[in-house]
Amino acid sequence: MSRYNFKETEAKWQALWAERRSFAAPEDRSRPKYYVMEMFPYPSGRIHMGHVRNYALGDVIARYKRAKGFNVLHPMGWDAFGLPAENAAMEKKTHPAAWTYDNIAAMRAQLKAMGLSLDWDREFATCDPDYYRHQQAMLLDFFDAGLVYRKEASVNWDPVDQTVLANEQVIEGRGWRTGAIVERRKLSQWFFKITAYSDELLDSLAGLERWPAKVRLMQENWIGRSEGARAFFGLSGGSDRLEIFTTRPDTLFGASFAALAADHPLALELAAAEPGLAAFIEECRKTATTAEALETVEKKGYRTRLEAVHPFDPSWTLPIYVANFVLMEYGTGAIFGCPAHDQRDLDFARKYGLPVTPVVCPPDEDAKTFVIADTAYVDDGRIINSRFLDGLDVEAGKRAAIAELVKRGAGEGTVHYRLRDWLVSRQRYWGCPIPMIHCGDCGIVPVPRQDLPVLLPDDVTFDRPGNPLEHHPTWKNVPCPRCGKPARRETDTLDTFVDSSWYFIRYCSPKNRERPVDPAAAGYWMPVDQYIGGVEHAILHLLYSRFFTRAMKKVGLLDLDEPFAGLFTQGMVCHETYRDAAGNWLLPEQVKKGADGNLASVEDGGPVETGRSEKMSKSKKNVVDPSHIIDSYGADTARWFMLSDSPPDRDLEWTTAGVEGAWKFSQRLWRLVIERLSTLPPKDAPMPASNDPHAEALRRATHKTIAGVTDDIEKFHFNKAVARLYEFVNTITESLGAAGNGASPPNAGFAWALREAFEALARLAGPMMPHLAEELWERLGHSQLLAETPWPEADRALTVDANVTIAVQVNGKLRTTMELPRDAAQPAVEAAALADEAVKRALDGKPPRKVIVVPNRIVNVVV
């Protein structure tokens, strides 16, 4: 009776919730809607602790909002396309689809074991043809609207995965998934014209008030709007000119060289006649195309035979280099180097012996003696060594330089964005086919809509490097829809970030076969009220989703701009790392405490070195299997620990002691209620006409806890809500002792207050420990499910203490405190203060000149 059997209880309530379809979300316009979702998982085969934390956070909000009267949509699906499935197919000799759907089945069972309040009727996987057929139709809509195009471009090539990567998927020059050094290649690729919304995506960030400031800043920096100038440098010995974009026209007089991207048309033209330059360009192609990757490479250049003529002085020429740190995709693919005020340019100038002329002087430096050593000066100051710009500040210098460029016909002011169009082609099999056909006579021809979806062939092999669709003997060969001649399917598939850029919209009407989303359903459910996921998706997924929503609006599928009204980014789950004497990583279960108290290997008893706590990862083996925790302690214990240990936006340190503490609390909570059920009045018993002080104190504690936990959940302070419930259990236990022998309340008033406290405890714990709370609610005599019961409302009169503590000062110095009835009359407060012995001693017989009373807070006696 006194031990909580979580295995039976959790299975019982999960089955009943499913039978009752307690978490289904039909459209109900009589109630306010609330759409809460977590970023959907990739079906890798097992959930991990990051999933447990992420979905526990969302489930608290979903259950709370449902209890508050909202019609809650809380869906789940699977981000199911991607290269890991192809890699598994090669390693395990299975088909990517079989591997994916087997993993989905396993992970679905694990998620259901967590007791999440999900509407499983809306479940889908992005690899389902019923999903990606709509994605293909939308791509055709976007193509017709000018938002999709194909062009040849320098791309990031992952030599391991044998596919193109978007700039956002290159991390410090390496592929985001494989870690391989990324190369630069020239390929014809498909793009989404996200730059058409650069200003809108940037300006709308200010309205996302319920997004973390750090995420908005990251997106702002990625879009990277900058004002600058297009400057035209003449070319020595000819009438052509070189166009350069710069954000610092004020530093033009500090120029010491010009540099071209390896793919710049002028560089390629020169390379045709210079084998050395051609070889250098080939070397440049072995580096990635992102600005971040190029920051880390050694700056190299090849001096061409041309020189650039300075736009402000026809007699001033600069050497022109082809440089490995200049990208064709940014600006115009050409720069002028001002070494004194750009560290990259300074490193390059020192390497090749080029002049370094400071043209911006710090405010506290003498222009005559100011020099640049090893560090470029990049802050504000006054312009020097710049002829007609001398003496101006930087901003004024920019304006004056642009005006002079315009006057000379050598340039103009302009706006530049760091954001590039979204490259979506991927050379792989397990992805959404791009519904385009290449015809020798007709060019690019969209697949007729009646022929959608373009299905992936099942009979593919992975025994050759590269894209299996390209190697398939028949799939790519089709007649042209226009002329009927032999043609070729597009064999590239879409970046999986396309799949995840609209799935939240599909959840609104996942069974609709006619269109991606029913407009009425989208109008009811969208935008997502609360989105929860990792900050690592702050740029890629969130920015793409914002673009996709606008693109769907443009083609008439939605009437919405921003998909996510609220965003919460949770912290990581961390654990200590362990290594044996040979340096091998060990799992936590492979480590034990030795006889000497130090950590040892379970296998051989050898010494184990403890490393720092890091994000749980398979590579370092510092992972804990959620299924093991749920099997050993129950889902409620895992959820409770995830919510209790630290603020949800910060990293959480996983400890065995912490989990055991959560387990012990669940047992304590169970015993506290179950062992006293026989002493409680019936659930509908009226409140007694009067209460003794013990009952009154318990009722005040109950309603203060209701108010506090409600406020904590509203603010996402889940760890504070948990702490309040710990405190509330202690208060109930102390009240039982104070009232006389905990198991037998002495009077009807206290018994009624105890039932009220127990019922509030079950209802408040419900979003966090739903199975235990549901069982307690039933044991307390309720036939209605707790999952369908309204949230408790605090009696505000009981949340305010009858007495207040008032500080008493004499001439501003604290002398004592006193307990008085709240809102006591001012004469009574003054009299009590002047009667206090500490105040009398401070007055030393002197009469007070004035007594100032701040109601319920302070009395200041002025002598």
Side-chain angles (χ1 to χ4, degrees):
M1 186 71 173
S2 62
R3 188 170 181 82
Y4 172 54
N5 187 329
F6 70 84
K7 286 186 180 292
E8 289 183 5
T9 302
E10 292 183 355
K12 166 187 171 182
W13 291 111
Q14 288 167 18
L16 191 56
W17 292 330
E19 177 188 331
R20 295 276 293 269
R21 300 183 71 245
S22 296
F23 310 123
E27 291 177 37
D28 181 357
R29 297 179 186 273
S30 68
R31 290 189 290 160
K33 69 92 181 179
Y34 195 88
Y35 186 176
V36 56
M37 58 177 285
E38 308 84 14
M39 293 180 183
F40 64 169
Y42 180 79
S44 59
R46 306 285 295 177
I47 66 171
H48 53 68
M49 282 301 175
H51 290 131
V52 175
R53 191 181 198 196
N54 195 29
Y55 301 133
L57 295 176
D59 202 48
V60 170
I61 294 297
R63 288 177 177 273
Y64 167 75
K65 288 294 184 180
R66 192 175 287 110
K68 292 289 283 185
F70 288 86
N71 185 26
V72 174
L73 173 56
H74 187 206
M76 177 57 67
W78 307 95
D79 191 10
F81 273 137
L83 272 169
E86 289 193 38
N87 293 337
M90 287 184 279
E91 295 168 10
K92 303 178 185 300
K93 306 302 180 185
T94 186
H95 193 279
W99 182 83
T100 299
Y101 284 109
D102 285 349
N103 287 348
I104 287 174
M107 292 177 69
R108 182 192 299 117
Q110 289 180 298
L111 291 178
K112 286 187 174 182
M114 285 181 62
L116 302 171
S117 60
L118 294 164
D119 183 354
W120 285 103
D121 292 344
R122 296 174 184 261
E123 178 192 13
F124 58 78
T126 58
C127 64
D128 296 340
D130 281 344
Y131 181 82
Y132 70 72
R133 70 186 294 266
H134 294 295
Q135 188 162 292
Q136 291 173 342
M138 282 193 289
L139 187 139
L140 298 182
D141 291 336
F142 296 173
F143 181 76
D144 292 341
L147 294 176
V148 173
Y149 65 93
R150 182 177 173 86
K151 73 170 184 179
E152 187 174 68
S154 292
V155 297
N156 304 304
W157 181 260
D158 188 314
V160 173
D161 277 341
Q162 296 266 304
T163 188
V164 166
L165 302 178
N167 283 343
E168 296 89 338
Q169 295 168 318
V170 180
I171 311 299
E172 296 182 352
R174 295 178 180 271
W176 71 292
R177 210 191 64 79
T178 66
I181 295 176
V182 172
E183 301 172 359
R184 199 182 310 184
R185 288 194 179 183
K186 201 87 166 178
L187 293 174
S188 289
Q189 301 287 285
W190 289 96
F191 291 84
F192 282 161
K193 198 170 181 58
I194 191 173
T195 55
Y197 294 93
S198 295
D199 277 325
E200 190 175 331
L201 290 168
L202 181 63
D203 295 342
S204 298
L205 288 171
L208 299 176
E209 297 177 354
R210 293 200 297 115
W211 280 41
K214 63 181 178 182
V215 173
R216 285 182 286 163
L217 180 61
M218 290 167 74
Q219 291 217 355
E220 179 181 331
N221 290 340
W222 191 259
I223 296 168
R225 185 183 190 278
S226 57
E227 296 185 2
R230 293 167 63 230
F232 303 121
F233 285 69
L235 294 177
S236 58
S239 59
D240 291 339
R241 61 184 186 176
L242 180 64
E243 181 182 339
I244 287 174
F245 171 80
T246 178
T247 59
R248 295 295 304 272
D250 56 303
T251 65
L252 273 164
F253 284 104
S256 67
F257 66 94
L260 308 175
D263 295 325
H264 193 283
L266 181 57
L268 298 177
E269 179 185 331
L270 294 170
E274 285 190 60
L277 177 55
F280 178 77
I281 289 173
E282 192 59 36
E283 181 184 346
C284 290
R285 288 173 178 161
K286 295 179 181 177
T287 59
T289 67
T290 66
E292 289 74 13
L294 296 182
E295 288 294 327
T296 61
V297 302
E298 180 187 359
K299 310 302 183 286
K300 295 181 180 180
Y302 183 99
R303 183 164 181 170
T304 72
R305 57 181 172 79
L306 294 180
E307 292 188 327
V309 179
H310 198 285
F312 290 154
D313 186 344
S315 66
W316 182 359
T317 60
L318 308 171
I320 297 178
Y321 288 80
V322 176
N324 67 344
F325 60 87
V326 183
L327 291 175
M328 192 64 214
E329 286 71 29
Y330 290 91
T332 62
I335 68 162
F336 77 85
C338 179
H341 306 292
D342 184 290
Q343 190 62 44
R344 175 196 59 184
D345 295 348
L346 180 60
D347 294 342
F348 188 83
R350 296 300 190 205
K351 182 180 181 71
Y352 292 103
L354 300 171
V356 178
T357 303
V359 290
V360 179
C361 183
D364 56 350
E365 291 277 355
D366 184 344
K368 295 178 181 179
T369 59
F370 177 57
V371 295
I372 299 294
D374 296 327
T375 304
Y377 179 71
V378 297
D379 294 325
D380 288 338
R382 65 188 185 283
I383 308 296
I384 60 173
N385 300 324
S386 297
R387 306 182 193 181
F388 62 87
L389 299 179
D390 283 351
L392 299 176
D393 62 32
V394 167
E395 291 305 315
K398 290 178 182 179
R399 293 191 295 270
I402 292 172
E404 185 67 17
L405 288 171
V406 173
K407 178 181 175 182
R408 291 171 175 263
E412 62 184 6
T414 188
V415 174
H416 176 69
Y417 294 90
R418 182 178 182 272
L419 181 67
R420 301 293 92 192
D421 279 339
W422 177 12
L423 190 161
V424 295
S425 297
R426 297 295 180 270
Q427 293 67 41
R428 61 169 178 243
Y429 163 75
W430 193 237
C432 173
I434 296 175
M436 295 293 180
I437 293 170
H438 300 274
C439 174
D441 290 345
C442 304
I444 294 174
V445 182
V447 171
R449 292 172 187 269
Q450 66 268 21
D451 294 341
L452 298 180
V454 176
L455 296 171
L456 292 167
D458 291 327
D459 56 336
V460 290
T461 59
F462 298 91
D463 53 359
R464 296 169 59 186
N467 184 358
L469 293 177
E470 188 68 36
H471 304 147
H472 194 282
T474 60
W475 181 83
K476 63 184 177 182
N477 300 316
V478 292
C480 173
R482 287 183 185 163
C483 69
K485 293 181 180 179
R488 176 181 175 277
R489 285 192 193 279
E490 174 61 68
T491 56
D492 286 353
T493 54
L494 287 173
D495 179 7
T496 55
F497 280 102
V498 179
D499 310 337
S500 59
S501 291
W502 70 284
Y503 77 106
F504 43 88
I505 298 170
R506 183 64 177 168
Y507 280 143
C508 297
S509 52
K511 309 302 183 187
N512 192 310
R513 292 190 55 81
E514 302 303 318
R515 57 183 74 186
V517 63
D518 177 76
Y524 176 71
W525 289 114
M526 293 295 294
V528 176
D529 296 282
Q530 189 62 63
Y531 198 24
I532 303 171
V535 73
E536 65 270 20
H537 297 295
I539 294 173
L540 286 79
H541 165 58
L542 294 173
L543 187 62
Y544 293 158
S545 298
R546 296 179 65 218
F547 158 73
F548 220 88
T549 303
R550 286 167 167 81
M552 291 180 71
K553 180 180 181 180
K554 182 177 178 67
V555 299
L557 294 170
L558 282 178
D559 185 17
L560 181 73
D561 292 322
E562 290 295 341
F564 311 120
L567 174 69
F568 187 85
T569 54
Q570 88 280 2
M572 304 292 188
V573 182
C574 303
H575 197 289
E576 288 181 334
T577 52
Y578 306 108
R579 280 186 170 182
D580 62 18
N584 300 310
W585 298 106
L586 298 177
L587 291 164
E589 58 262 33
Q590 294 176 304
V591 177
K592 65 178 181 180
K593 185 170 285 189
D596 57 359
N598 295 318
L599 294 183
S601 168
V602 171
E603 183 177 350
D604 58 16
V608 170
E609 178 186 354
T610 303
R612 63 178 183 148
S613 178
E614 299 183 33
K615 173 189 172 183
M616 286 189 181
S617 69
K618 292 180 181 178
S619 62
K620 295 186 178 178
K621 293 191 174 182
N622 61 334
V623 294
V624 175
D625 186 348
S627 294
H628 172 71
I629 298 300
I630 291 172
D631 290 344
S632 302
Y633 297 99
D636 282 348
T637 294
R639 292 168 60 122
W640 185 258
F641 174 71
M642 285 292 185
L643 297 165
S644 66
D645 194 63
S646 63
D649 57 337
R650 298 182 188 172
D651 291 350
L652 177 148
E653 179 68 24
W654 180 271
T655 64
T656 302
V659 177
E660 290 175 348
W663 158 251
K664 290 176 181 177
F665 178 75
S666 69
Q667 294 295 331
R668 180 186 176 196
L669 178 56
W670 171 258
R671 290 193 301 271
L672 177 67
V673 178
I674 295 301
E675 292 176 359
R676 292 166 179 82
L677 287 176
S678 62
T679 70
L680 302 180
K683 67 179 178 67
D684 296 322
M687 183 174 66
S690 62
N691 287 320
D692 66 8
H694 297 300
E696 189 67 21
L698 181 56
R699 293 205 67 217
R700 287 187 178 278
T702 297
H703 287 269
K704 285 182 180 180
T705 303
I706 293 171
V709 170
T710 302
D711 186 60
D712 289 335
I713 293 178
E714 288 282 356
K715 294 177 178 177
F716 269 51
H717 295 164
F718 302 137
N719 59 312
K720 292 183 179 180
V722 167
R724 286 186 199 274
L725 293 179
Y726 273 117
E727 182 181 350
F728 187 37
V729 167
N730 289 338
T731 298
I732 295 173
T733 304
E734 292 167 2
S735 296
L736 286 164
N741 186 9
S744 303
N747 58 60
F750 188 87
W752 194 94
L754 187 61
R755 167 174 277 281
E756 181 185 43
F758 285 162
E759 292 193 351
L761 185 57
R763 293 163 79 181
L764 295 175
M768 306 166 201
M769 293 198 292
H771 309 89
L772 173 57
E774 194 77 74
E775 183 69 19
L776 291 176
W777 187 248
E778 182 185 59
R779 296 296 184 98
L780 285 164
H782 296 277
S783 57
Q784 182 184 30
L785 289 178
L786 179 61
E788 299 169 2
T789 299
W791 190 252
E793 296 290 334
D795 183 338
R796 293 296 167 181
L798 292 175
T799 64
V800 179
D801 289 327
N803 292 336
V804 292
T805 300
I806 296 177
V808 183
Q809 301 174 338
V810 176
N811 288 340
K813 185 175 181 180
L814 180 66
R815 296 297 180 177
T816 189
T817 60
M818 55 187 186
E819 291 282 324
L820 291 177
R822 179 177 291 278
D823 299 323
Q826 183 167 328
V829 176
E830 290 185 16
L834 294 175
D836 189 274
E837 290 300 323
V839 175
K840 289 180 180 179
R841 287 194 298 273
L843 291 175
D844 195 23
K846 300 174 185 175
R849 286 195 300 111
K850 186 189 302 184
V851 179
I852 303 169
V853 176
V854 179
N856 299 319
R857 293 182 60 194
I858 297 173
V859 177
N860 189 21
V861 181
V862 182
V863 181

